[in-house]
Amino acid sequence: MEESLWISGTKKTNYQTLEKDEKTDVCVIGGGIVGAITSYLLTQKGLNVIILEKDKLCMGVTANSTAKLTSQHGLFYKYLYDEYGADFAKLYLESNENGIKLAEEIIQNENIDCDFEKKDAYVFATTITELEKVKQELNTLNKLGFDAEYVENIKIPADNVLGAIKFKNQAQFNARKYTLQLFEKTSNLGAKIYENSKVEKIEKMGENYSISVGKNEVIAKYVVIATHYPIKNFPGVYFSKMYQDKTYVIAVDIGENKKMIDGMFIQSCEPIISFRTAKYNEKELLIVAGSGHKTGQPNSKIEDNFINLENYIKKYYPNSKVMFKWSTEDCITLDKIPYIGKFSNLLPNMYVATGFKKWGMSTSHVAGKIITDLILNNKNKYADIYKATRLNPIKNIKELGNMIKESTNSLVLNKLKPINTEFKDIKLGEGGIVEIDGEKVGIYKRQDGEIFAVKPYCGHLGCLISWNNLEKTWDCPCHGSRYDYMGNIITEPTVKGLSRYEFE
């Protein structure tokens, strides 16, 4: 079943569509976990809030995550310590620990049923080289005064596990259950929620903002862009500072009389594999994630990503059964720190939260609290380390080079290259780009023979898109926008669908 375990186990929402002009204190754009937390915290403080979601609430990144609430973000703290210093690293760690506590407080105070469980989190090494990095990371955590523990005897489906760092009292939950109930609580507090209400334009209008949704608009003093990838390009230019990365996930029934893992686990190096458990119909499933790659990269064997995960886990549980499989997408900043706070110094009262790497469940709570404090003009001790308008030197020179190369190829060079695929080469159930009368056309041939043709240029900045035959989507290699085979938007930053051709 190619949908996430979290989506399968919850009902879809049915909020109204925006069909009239509105005025509010705060307009939150995005119906995922960041939008839910921020809206909830603001309505608790008495502000009027409107939430706009282009589709249905919580059907995107939040609903396709692995839903781990942890401050253990891989081997990350030595990097922070070396690049930014001890104080910075300690604040980052502390902020994410507080993010976990905030989630637990909300769940308890609002009596939210979301399968919340306290679990230890581990990052493990399977080579001598990686083990040395694990020990260096542990040494850094000790310098920061954090109570991490080194362990060697952990029972997980991985070969040659030499050692691991254990973060105690972390948590896992069902992120979609949590987010949908939080939106419901927020609605009960007076917030207005609109689904199927795609924001097309955000403009400054005196001291307020005009947010356009079709023929209607919302006037708001404050705007929070919580769309995973910012849908507004300028002046923030976040597309020049981030890239998107895909990860594949399967949920597996390992069979009766098999001992399940206890905790959350992630490998310390590429190829990264991670594990956690989840409840499903009174059973416990094993969630396995990995087999990732940069979004939109041409990969003729992209179907192998799920197969790789299935083959991996069957080495340890030969009779296991894959119950669910899905993929997720993460924004990764070039300096590896999320952007949280003011969208731009040129646009007062507009805020953004993005670039959570692969750890958005804890950091989304950090973001909600920081943005709420900024709007209320309260001091937040963590705001500066996530400052979205920062101008720090770019740390990831290699990935910057990759971004420039990919953007140059997709914006210019690939558009000039001749297309070798012919229309007759595309089989039923497959897609690709062909040339028709000297013009590039994206073709998908559905199994029933119906043909869908699109103009294969991303609505964001015009990059040439590529066909993803595994998920039957058009993906942009520049900034990660994704479309279904009919050209409808799946993932930001684009706000424009693909142009359709009538095909005969």
Side-chain angles (χ1 to χ4, degrees):
M1 188 180 300
E2 292 190 18
E3 68 175 8
S4 78
L5 167 64
W6 323 124
I7 293 174
S8 175
T10 49
K11 293 181 180 179
K12 289 186 179 180
T13 50
N14 190 32
Y15 290 92
Q16 61 185 321
T17 300
L18 182 69
E19 294 180 340
K20 63 178 182 177
D21 294 343
E22 290 273 18
K23 189 170 184 179
T24 188
D25 297 325
V26 186
C27 180
V28 174
I29 305 170
I33 192 168
V34 175
I37 297 160
T38 307
S39 302
Y40 171 78
L41 295 175
L42 289 169
T43 50
Q44 276 200 321
K45 297 297 183 181
L47 276 75
N48 295 319
V49 177
I50 285 178
I51 298 105
L52 300 174
E53 164 55 42
K54 74 178 189 301
D55 295 315
K56 294 290 187 180
L57 291 180
C58 198
M59 288 291 290
V61 175
T62 302
N64 288 288
S65 70
T66 52
K68 295 184 284 187
L69 278 161
T70 176
S71 60
Q72 190 282 299
H73 296 176
L75 298 183
F76 194 49
Y77 290 100
K78 185 177 186 301
Y79 164 80
L80 292 180
Y81 189 98
D82 292 345
E83 294 289 345
Y84 302 100
D87 290 343
F88 187 103
K90 190 170 185 177
L91 285 170
Y92 183 97
L93 176 54
E94 187 180 289
S95 67
N96 279 274
E97 283 289 297
N98 285 340
I100 300 167
K101 292 176 183 175
L102 176 58
E104 187 172 9
E105 288 173 6
I106 292 173
I107 290 166
Q108 291 177 348
N109 293 341
E110 297 293 351
N111 195 27
I112 293 176
D113 176 16
C114 60
D115 303 328
F116 179 87
E117 296 179 282
K118 284 292 190 72
K119 292 283 185 180
D120 296 331
Y122 302 78
V123 55
F124 65 91
T126 58
T127 68
I128 296 296
T129 301
E130 288 303 310
L131 182 63
E132 180 58 33
K133 292 179 182 178
V134 162
K135 291 179 177 179
Q136 290 173 1
E137 180 82 357
L138 181 65
N139 183 53
T140 300
L141 291 165
N142 290 336
K143 290 179 182 178
L144 299 177
F146 185 71
D147 184 22
E149 182 181 336
Y150 176 73
V151 295
E152 290 185 342
N153 297 316
I154 58 174
K155 304 297 182 183
I156 58 173
D159 293 335
N160 197 37
V161 177
L162 301 178
I165 299 172
K166 179 168 78 171
F167 279 44
K168 303 171 186 176
N169 295 316
Q170 308 295 288
Q172 60 186 28
F173 69 149
N174 183 319
R176 180 166 157 82
K177 279 186 178 181
Y178 172 77
T179 299
L180 293 184
Q181 289 175 70
L182 194 54
F183 271 124
E184 186 177 339
K185 304 291 184 182
T186 303
S187 177
N188 292 338
L189 287 169
K192 295 181 180 179
I193 299 173
Y194 295 101
E195 295 182 321
N196 299 311
S197 301
K198 185 178 73 173
V199 172
E200 297 169 352
K201 189 183 295 183
I202 309 169
E203 293 181 308
K204 191 81 172 71
M205 192 178 68
E207 294 184 355
N208 296 318
Y209 287 93
S210 170
I211 300 98
S212 300
V213 179
K215 297 179 180 179
N216 303 111
E217 70 172 351
V218 175
I219 302 298
K221 182 176 180 180
Y222 304 97
V223 174
V224 179
I225 300 177
T227 54
H228 174 63
Y229 200 117
I231 59 171
K232 187 173 178 63
N233 289 329
F234 303 102
V237 293
Y238 289 93
F239 60 83
S240 69
K241 300 179 286 189
M242 294 194 305
Y243 61 98
Q244 297 206 63
D245 193 81
K246 291 277 290 180
T247 301
Y248 298 84
V249 191
I250 57 175
V252 180
D253 181 356
I254 65 172
E256 296 180 3
N257 303 319
K258 297 290 184 180
K259 187 171 177 58
M260 185 63 79
I261 64 170
D262 184 18
M264 303 177 291
F265 302 84
I266 188 167
Q267 194 161 345
S268 64
C269 66
E270 300 285 350
I272 288 175
I273 193 90
S274 76
F275 313 102
R276 63 155 286 191
T277 58
K279 295 177 180 177
Y280 175 69
N281 288 350
E282 299 182 356
K283 296 188 73 172
E284 197 168 33
L285 301 183
L286 177 65
I287 294 181
V288 186
S291 202
H293 61 85
K294 190 175 177 183
T295 301
Q297 284 189 338
N299 183 350
S300 60
K301 293 187 177 180
I302 197 169
E303 294 88 343
D304 288 347
N305 292 299
F306 283 129
I307 295 172
N308 290 341
L309 291 177
E310 293 176 35
N311 289 341
Y312 176 93
I313 207 63
K314 282 187 179 293
K315 288 193 305 181
Y316 304 95
Y317 306 108
N319 298 319
S320 61
K321 180 181 178 182
V322 176
M323 304 293 290
F324 299 93
K325 53 185 177 180
W326 68 94
S327 68
T328 188
E329 193 170 32
D330 296 283
C331 290
I332 302 177
T333 70
L334 289 177
D335 62 5
K336 304 181 184 179
I337 311 298
Y339 290 117
I340 301 170
K342 290 182 180 178
F343 178 84
S344 167
N345 290 324
L346 300 176
L347 294 174
N349 299 333
M350 182 181 290
Y351 303 93
V352 69
T354 188
F356 296 154
K357 210 165 52 166
K358 296 179 184 292
W359 306 104
M361 298 299 100
S362 59
T363 316
S364 59
H365 288 81
V366 178
K369 187 67 171 66
I370 287 175
I371 291 173
T372 298
D373 284 340
L374 289 172
I375 289 174
L376 297 174
N377 202 27
N378 294 334
K379 178 69 175 175
N380 188 298
K381 66 186 290 189
Y382 308 116
D384 284 347
I385 68 170
Y386 296 100
K387 192 175 181 180
T389 55
R390 63 184 181 268
L391 297 173
N392 292 0
I394 293 170
K395 304 289 182 182
N396 194 341
I397 299 298
K398 179 181 178 182
E399 191 52 53
L400 174 63
N402 290 339
M403 284 178 62
I404 293 172
K405 179 181 177 181
E406 193 58 64
S407 295
T408 301
N409 286 342
S410 298
L411 278 168
V412 182
L413 299 181
N414 289 346
K415 292 181 180 179
L416 302 176
K417 288 181 180 178
I419 299 297
N420 296 322
T421 303
E422 295 186 17
F423 180 82
K424 62 181 176 60
D425 297 330
I426 299 177
K427 301 174 182 178
L428 292 181
E430 296 183 357
I433 296 176
V434 301
E435 281 196 8
I436 299 176
D437 297 332
E439 185 174 352
K440 288 182 173 63
V441 179
I443 296 292
Y444 171 64
K445 296 181 180 179
R446 204 163 61 185
Q447 287 288 1
D448 62 5
E450 186 170 358
I451 296 167
F452 297 83
V454 299
K455 193 171 182 178
Y457 302 107
C458 182
H460 178 227
L461 291 178
C463 290
L464 186 69
I465 56 178
S466 63
W467 176 250
N468 174 342
N469 202 52
L470 173 64
E471 297 169 296
K472 312 304 180 190
T473 60
W474 294 104
D475 299 348
C476 176
C478 290
H479 307 112
S481 298
R482 300 181 66 229
Y483 309 82
D484 66 19
Y485 61 81
M486 294 183 288
N488 301 313
I489 298 169
I490 297 174
T491 305
E492 298 82 12
T494 185
V495 295
K496 297 178 182 178
L498 300 177
S499 298
R500 288 274 302 275
Y501 293 109
E502 292 297 324
F503 195 89
E504 297 182 10

